[in-house]
Amino acid sequence: MHAMQYELTLPAGYDMGIIRNRVARRGHLLDDWEGLGLKAYLIRERGLRGSPVNQYAPFYLWNTVDGMNAFLWGGGFQGVGDDFGRPSARQWTGLAYEEGKGSHARFALRRRQPVPDGGLLADTMEDAVGEARRLAGADGALLAAAAVDTSRWELVHFSLWAQDPPQAGGEVFEVLHLSAPGRDLLPRGRQW
């Protein structure tokens, strides 16, 4: 599993209805993308749920590198670059994925944190696996994942929720659409 996200931070007065309409028109285009576990079409609106910015920030969990590369180089990503300029697409290697019991994704929670210096990396990664399991087991959780970027030594915890997520730190996003053609193929549990 590979995680990926890009963020488009928009002006304070930006009409987020433009993004909502864009997702309503185009969101279905990845509903059957080969190699995609899921794409959550996410937004934050300035002043809501603690957000200081307006932002469009889709989050992906990929089953295959081929699927991710086909998206990046084969045209799927081109539309974002054409309309907003090419954003940096962050990537993380999967550590864990867990399913919850929630039925519909309304909100997402993303928490990024540095991998601490010192100690055993294996212990830190096991803690991230445990956090994914804990989040997925919480009431209203649809799923939870943990991944690591070893170029920055950064962990990312990502979860989807049927209601407002618990106060666990991190950024809360509204989910506008969920494309999940390969969600059932995402490997469960620890990924090494």
Side-chain angles (χ1 to χ4, degrees):
M1 177 184 77
H2 303 279
M4 183 179 84
Q5 185 177 39
Y6 51 87
E7 300 171 331
L8 301 170
T9 301
L10 304 161
Y14 191 84
D15 178 3
M16 293 302 284
I18 295 168
I19 301 297
R20 290 176 184 283
N21 290 335
R22 176 188 179 85
V23 171
R25 285 189 330 273
R26 295 181 168 187
H28 72 280
L29 296 175
L30 293 185
D31 286 352
D32 61 357
W33 194 275
E34 185 73 28
L36 177 63
L38 64 88
K39 175 182 180 179
Y41 295 77
L42 307 178
I43 63 167
R44 294 195 298 164
E45 292 189 68
R46 186 172 185 236
L48 295 179
R49 294 177 196 84
S51 178
V53 297
N54 287 326
Q55 195 172 63
Y56 175 50
F59 195 96
Y60 303 74
L61 293 176
W62 294 97
N63 284 318
T64 68
V65 173
D66 290 347
M68 182 173 64
N69 287 343
F71 173 76
L72 289 169
W73 323 138
F77 186 63
Q78 188 66 46
V80 171
D82 290 347
D83 292 347
F84 298 99
R86 185 184 315 145
S88 174
R90 299 282 315 275
Q91 296 181 31
W92 299 267
T93 301
L95 295 171
Y97 176 80
E98 299 288 348
E99 285 282 324
K101 294 184 175 141
S103 60
H104 181 72
R106 293 186 56 227
F107 298 101
L109 177 64
R110 181 198 67 197
R111 186 176 73 241
R112 295 182 297 198
Q113 65 187 73
V115 173
D117 289 331
L120 296 175
L121 285 173
D123 291 345
T124 300
M125 298 311 138
E126 283 294 345
D127 289 346
V129 169
E131 178 67 357
R133 190 177 308 115
R134 184 190 71 74
L135 285 169
D139 187 40
L142 184 68
L143 59 87
V148 63
D149 174 348
T150 57
S151 72
R152 296 179 187 218
W153 289 108
E154 177 186 70
L155 290 168
V156 65
H157 297 276
F158 177 77
S159 50
L160 293 177
W161 300 85
Q163 74 250 351
D164 279 325
Q167 297 298 320
E171 297 85 23
V172 176
F173 297 85
E174 181 182 352
V175 178
L176 299 182
H177 180 74
L178 183 65
S179 293
R183 180 176 160 195
D184 59 331
L185 301 175
L186 288 166
R188 304 304 192 265
R190 187 178 127 172
Q191 312 254 325
W192 77 92

